[in-house]
Amino acid sequence: MRGRSSKVVWAGLAVVMAGVVPQTAWWDLNHTVFAQAVVSGLLIGGVYSLVAMGLSLVFGVLDIINFAHGALMTIAIYASYLLFQNYGVDPYVSLLITIPLLFIVGVGIQRFAINPVMDAPVHNQLLLTLGIAIMIENLALVLFTGTPRSIELAYARNEFDLGVVTLDFPLKVFGAVVSLPKLVAFLAALVLAGVLYLLIQRTQLGTAIRASAQEPEGAELVGIDVRRIYMITFGIGAACVGAAGSLVLPFLFVAPTAGATFTIIAFVVVVLGGMGSIPGALVGGLVIGLTQELTQLFVPGSKFLGVFVVFLAVLLFRPEGIFGRVRR
Amino acid sequence: MKRMNILLSLLLSLVLVAAACGDDDAGTTTTAAASTTTQPAAEETTTTVPPAPVLIGAIHPLTGGLAGAGNRMDNGARMAVDEINAAGGITSLGGAPLELISADSTGAPDVGQSEAERLISAGVSAIIGTYQSAVTTNVAAIAEREGVPLVIDVAVDDSILDQGYTYTFRLQPNATSMGTNGAKFLSELGGDEIKTVAYLHDDTGFGVSVSEAFTTAAAALGIEVITDITYAPFSVTDLTTEMAQAAAGSPDVIVITGYYNDGLLAARAAIDLEVDVKAIVGIAQGAFHTPQFVEDFGADAELFFNSNYHFNSSDPTVAGILERFEARFGEAMDTEAMLAYQAIYVVADALERAGSSDPADVRAALATTNIADHFLAYPGPITFDDTGENINAEPVLMQVIDGKVQQVLPIGLRETDPVFPGTSWGS
C-alpha cells in the first residue's frame, strides 16, 4: 500500500512531465534551465525535509500543532550568525552548539509551556505555540533589530581535492549549478533522516517514544514516564530544526522572520509525508521542492500554486499522507 | 483525527488568504461610510502658557518581514523631531515642540489603515509613511477622508496619487520615474551594447508597477524586455531557477526589482550561475545600494548596479546626518531612513509657514513647499505638483566599486566612472 501510493505520485508527476515537456517550444532552448529547476528543487526540497522532520516527530508523538517551529529555527539562525560574526565560528562547527542549545530550549518549552496544556482543547494549544512564535520573533527584533544580515562562506567557491575526484564548487550538473552550502544541507537532510529513523526504530528511547505516541496510558502502566518522554521528543524536534537553522545560514538571510518563512511549507510537507513519519518528511520535502521549481518553469511566478495543487491531490486520494498510517 | 481536520482547515484558509493577497496592487480600500469628523479647532495659543506640542504620526512596518527598514525609518523620523525641538521647535507657533507618535503597520494594509485612524483621532497634524505601496494606498484614502495630510516618505506605486487626492504628497520618485529613469540610465550606460533585457521582479504592486514603467520607457529607447520573471518576495527562499530562466535568452543585462532579502537571493543566484550578461542592474532594488549589502556580501557585491533614490552623498550636511544616526542608533543610515527624516523636515517647514497646526492649514502649506536645501540626490528643490508628486524626485544610478556604493549617473552627481561591462566574474 505504502509503496504503491508513492509510486502513484511519482508516476503521476512523470506522466505530467512527459506530457507537457515535449509540447513546449522552449524545451529545445532550455535544457539547462530545466536541469537547474530539478537540481534547485531537490536542494531546496532537502531544506524543507530538514525543517519538517522535527515538526513531524512532534506532531506524530505529541499531537501538538507547533506553530513555533519556524521561530525555533530563527533562534538557531541567530545563534550561528552571532558565533560567526563575533568569534569567527564556521556555521558547520556551530552545529555542535545549536543542536544541544535547541534541545534544551525544546525541553524547556515542553516542560513549562506545553505539558500543562497537553489535555487542553486544540485551539488553546494553537494559540500557545503561536504566542511563543510571536514572542521569539519580537525578542529577536528587539535584540538584533529587523535589519536583514547574511554571511558568505569563504570556501563556498573553492576546489576540493578528494583524491579520487576534484570537486570545483559550485558544481555543474548537466549545466545546472549546485552550490556547496546547499549540497551540504541536502546531504545533512539525508543523514538526519537516517539518524532519526534509527533512533526511533532501534533504540530503547525510540521504543518508549513510540509507545508514548500510540498508547500513553499503557506506556505509563509499564513504567514509562510519559511526560519526560514528551519533553525529550520536543527537545529532539527542536534540535532537528536547530540543525536546519545552522545549515541554511550560508544561503539564506538572517532576520527575525527568517525561520517563519518555512513554517507553513513544513506543515504541508508533514501532512504530505504522513504525520510522524521521518521517511515521509524526507520524501515529502523533496516532492514539494521539485513541484515548486517545476511549477516555476511552466507557470512562472506561481511557484507555490503547484505545491498546493499537489498537496490537495494527495489529501483527496491519500488523506493519511504518503507514508502515513491510518490513525485511530 | 480532529486535530488533523483543524490543521487542514487552517492550512486551507491560509492558502486561500495567500491566494487572495496575491496581487496587493489591487489596492482594495474599504470605503466605509464617510464619517465627517470635524477637527477640533486649534487652540488659541497665548504667549503666557507654553505652546502645546504638535503631534505628527509615523506609520511604518515595525514588526514582520520588513521591520528592518521600518524601524530605521522610524528612527530617522525620531531623530529629525528631536533635532527640530532642540533647535527651538516651530517658531511661528511660539516655539511649539513636535511630538512623534509611532505606529506599526505590521506590513499589513488593514492594520496600517486602522493605525491611521487611531493617529487621526489622537489629533495629529500630519502623517508620514509607510514604506509599502499597498499600505500607503489605504492610509492615503483615510487621510483624504479625514482631511489630514499624508507625506509619503517611501512608496512607489503611481496609482496612490491617481485618485485625485489633495491631502497626499510623495517625496520619493514614483514607479514611472523609477522605471523611466532606470531605462534612461541603461541606455546612457551601455549605448548600443544594451539591446535586450531580462526582468526579474517581485509580484507585488511595487515590482509590477516599476517593471511596467521600465518596459514602456525602454521600448522607446530601443531596449527590449525579452523575459519577465516574477516571484513572491516574502515566501521565496531560493531564486536560482528564476535567475536561470532570466539568463536563458542570453539578454545583455538582467534587471532586478524587489526588497532586500530577495535581492540577496537573486545576487547569490547570479554569482553561482555566473550568468553571462554585461551587467546586473537593480531598479528600485532594496539591497544593492545599502551599506549592509556591501558589508555582508564582501567582494561578491562588486559591480552590482542599482538605480534608486539616494541621499546626496556629496553633501557635507548629509555626512553629518549619517554620522549622528549611526552614533545614536548603532547602525548605518540608509536612504529609506533619510527619506523619513526628510519627511519630518517637510512637515515642519509647512507648520512653520502655516503658523497653525490645523491639518487643513498644514495641507495648504505643504502644497506650496519649496525646499532647496534638502538631503536627497535630486536635480532640484522639493516641490509638489497638483497631484502631490515631488516634481524633482529622480533616482540616481549607483554601482558598488572598490567596496563602496558610488553614484555614477547622472553626470552631475557622479562620484566615479561606472565599470561596464559590469559583472565581477567577467565573461
Side-chain angles (χ1 to χ4, degrees):
Chain A
M1 185 68 209
R2 169 193 298 188
R4 218 187 77 208
S5 69
S6 59
K7 282 202 190 82
V8 167
V9 173
W10 284 110
L13 268 178
V15 168
V16 170
M17 298 295 318
V20 176
V21 171
Q23 311 297 327
T24 48
W26 59 255
W27 175 241
D28 305 332
L29 287 170
N30 286 284
H31 292 102
T32 49
V33 178
F34 182 75
Q36 188 62 58
V38 172
V39 166
S40 298
L42 285 171
L43 292 174
I44 199 75
V47 176
Y48 291 164
S49 307
L50 260 181
V51 180
M53 274 177 227
L55 187 66
S56 192
L57 183 68
V58 168
F59 207 175
V61 175
L62 282 73
D63 228 1
I64 290 281
I65 298 170
N66 178 22
F67 269 120
H69 197 67
L72 293 173
M73 185 171 172
T74 305
I75 295 178
I77 292 175
Y78 270 102
S80 275
Y81 172 73
L82 292 169
L83 286 165
F84 178 88
Q85 275 307 78
N86 299 329
Y87 307 106
V89 180
D90 187 280
Y92 302 128
V93 175
S94 69
L95 281 168
L96 299 172
I97 295 165
T98 53
I99 291 173
L101 172 74
L102 267 289
F103 179 82
I104 293 163
V105 169
V107 168
I109 288 178
Q110 180 65 31
R111 165 77 180 76
F112 295 105
I114 299 181
N115 261 344
V117 299
M118 283 303 284
D119 300 322
V122 180
H123 54 259
N124 289 5
Q125 300 174 344
L126 268 181
L127 286 175
L128 178 71
T129 58
L130 197 58
I132 293 171
I134 292 169
M135 216 172 72
I136 293 172
E137 234 172 77
N138 285 288
L139 198 64
L141 189 61
V142 170
L143 292 175
F144 310 115
T145 76
T147 307
R149 304 304 305 239
S150 60
I151 71 160
E152 302 300 312
L153 287 181
Y155 50 85
R157 284 184 263 284
N158 286 3
E159 279 190 22
F160 293 88
D161 190 356
L162 304 178
V164 194
V165 62
T166 302
L167 297 179
D168 182 10
F169 281 97
L171 291 176
K172 284 264 195 291
V173 185
F174 302 115
V177 298
V178 179
S179 82
L180 172 74
K182 283 182 187 142
L183 183 64
V184 172
F186 178 81
L187 296 174
L190 300 181
V191 171
L192 188 69
V195 169
L196 270 184
Y197 187 77
L198 291 176
L199 177 84
I200 288 164
Q201 297 297 335
R202 298 287 161 83
T203 65
Q204 210 174 350
L205 173 66
T207 312
I209 289 176
R210 278 180 294 139
S212 307
Q214 282 161 18
E215 287 292 345
E217 295 85 1
E220 290 276 9
L221 285 175
V222 297
I224 295 172
D225 182 352
V226 172
R227 282 168 56 96
R228 196 173 138 265
I229 292 296
Y230 283 166
M231 275 157 43
I232 292 173
T233 306
F234 201 98
I236 294 173
C240 290
V241 84
S246 296
L247 289 160
V248 299
L249 176 61
F251 56 87
L252 203 70
F253 40 83
V254 186
T257 52
T261 318
F262 291 95
T263 302
I264 298 297
I265 216 100
F267 273 112
V268 172
V269 170
V270 168
V271 174
L272 188 71
M275 314 282 181
S277 164
I278 300 302
L282 181 66
V283 173
L286 298 180
V287 168
I288 292 291
L290 272 174
T291 305
Q292 127 184 344
E293 296 306 310
L294 292 173
T295 307
Q296 172 62 31
L297 282 191
F298 300 108
V299 197
S302 307
K303 248 179 82 119
F304 299 97
L305 177 76
V307 170
F308 289 109
V309 168
V310 167
F311 178 61
L312 291 176
V314 168
L315 283 182
L316 280 175
F317 298 111
R318 198 176 161 75
E320 65 276 22
I322 301 175
F323 284 77
R325 292 187 200 85
V326 181
R327 289 153 58 98
R328 286 166 280 157
Chain B
M1 220 52 234
K2 194 173 128 209
R3 274 150 214 268
M4 176 75 184
N5 292 338
I6 288 185
L7 174 67
L8 289 183
S9 52
L10 259 172
L11 274 175
L12 267 178
S13 58
L14 279 165
V15 174
L16 290 174
V17 167
C21 300
D23 182 22
D24 69 356
D25 199 12
T28 44
T29 45
T30 44
T31 44
S35 56
T36 48
T37 50
T38 45
Q39 288 288 333
E43 277 182 52
E44 297 287 322
T45 48
T46 55
T47 46
T48 48
V49 288
V54 181
L55 303 181
I56 300 177
I59 305 176
H60 296 106
L62 304 180
T63 57
L66 300 170
N71 283 291
R72 273 195 305 276
M73 293 174 79
D74 194 65
N75 288 342
R78 191 159 300 282
M79 191 166 96
V81 164
D82 292 350
E83 287 177 6
I84 290 164
N85 290 346
I90 306 297
T91 317
S92 68
L93 291 172
L98 300 178
E99 192 180 310
L100 190 74
I101 309 180
S102 297
D104 179 10
S105 72
T106 72
D110 53 329
V111 179
Q113 184 172 325
S114 57
E115 286 298 270
E117 282 163 342
R118 179 176 72 86
L119 292 175
I120 289 168
S121 53
V124 296
S125 302
I127 296 174
I128 68 159
T130 70
Y131 189 60
Q132 292 157 281
S133 292
V135 177
T136 310
T137 300
N138 286 18
V139 172
I142 299 294
E144 191 68 20
R145 196 181 75 197
E146 305 287 355
V148 173
L150 166 68
V151 177
I152 299 172
D153 42 27
V154 176
V156 76
D157 204 337
D158 286 27
S159 65
I160 299 166
L161 294 179
D162 286 348
Q163 322 291 326
Y165 290 158
T166 54
Y167 272 84
T168 300
F169 303 87
R170 175 176 6 221
L171 273 182
Q172 82 150 85
N174 65 9
T176 301
S177 169
M178 284 285 195
T180 310
N181 283 294
K184 208 173 69 189
F185 287 147
L186 266 197
S187 100
E188 227 174 305
L189 179 74
D192 284 349
E193 287 201 66
I194 302 178
K195 286 278 164 232
T196 55
V197 163
Y199 210 131
L200 176 68
H201 61 89
D202 73 272
D203 61 6
T204 70
F206 166 37
V208 172
S209 56
V210 173
S211 69
E212 280 173 358
F214 173 88
T215 306
T216 309
L221 294 163
I223 298 171
E224 192 197 351
V225 178
I226 54 171
T227 323
D228 187 285
I229 305 283
T230 61
Y231 58 85
F234 305 124
S235 49
V236 78
T237 50
D238 178 41
L239 283 171
T240 317
T241 305
E242 287 82 349
M243 188 51 79
Q245 284 175 299
S250 302
D252 294 324
V253 167
I254 292 175
V255 173
I256 303 174
T257 297
Y259 295 95
Y260 188 94
N261 294 345
D262 37 311
L264 206 62
L265 297 172
R268 276 210 192 101
I271 292 164
D272 278 343
L273 289 160
E274 294 187 348
V275 286
D276 185 14
V277 292
K278 290 171 187 159
I280 294 187
V281 181
I283 291 187
Q285 212 296 319
F288 304 162
H289 66 303
T290 60
Q292 69 259 36
F293 174 73
V294 176
E295 193 180 326
D296 291 346
F297 231 57
D300 288 344
E302 274 299 296
L303 305 187
F304 274 89
F305 284 98
N306 200 3
S307 166
N308 207 342
Y309 43 59
H310 199 224
F311 48 70
N312 187 356
S313 35
S314 56
D315 180 349
T317 314
V318 170
I321 297 168
L322 298 179
E323 272 167 36
R324 291 200 299 277
F325 186 94
E326 186 147 10
R328 178 168 166 183
F329 299 109
E331 64 173 324
M333 190 180 198
D334 54 9
T335 304
E336 286 79 6
M338 186 63 79
L339 279 155
Y341 178 89
Q342 181 73 68
I344 294 290
Y345 272 92
V346 169
V347 171
D349 168 79
L351 284 164
E352 197 65 75
R353 285 182 292 108
S356 150
S357 61
D358 180 71
D361 299 340
V362 177
R363 189 219 77 83
L366 278 169
T368 58
T369 294
N370 190 329
I371 302 176
D373 55 347
H374 58 76
F375 317 118
L376 300 153
Y378 292 160
I382 294 176
T383 170
F384 302 109
D385 68 11
D386 293 347
T387 62
E389 296 283 13
N390 179 0
I391 292 166
N392 289 309
E394 284 183 13
V396 292
L397 185 70
M398 294 158 273
Q399 188 176 26
V400 181
I401 297 172
D402 299 330
K404 238 184 98 206
V405 175
Q406 313 210 42
Q407 292 167 185
V408 296
L409 279 176
I411 304 283
L413 294 166
R414 174 171 290 186
E415 293 176 290
T416 183
D417 288 339
V419 178
F420 183 86
T423 52
S424 53
W425 46 91
S427 49

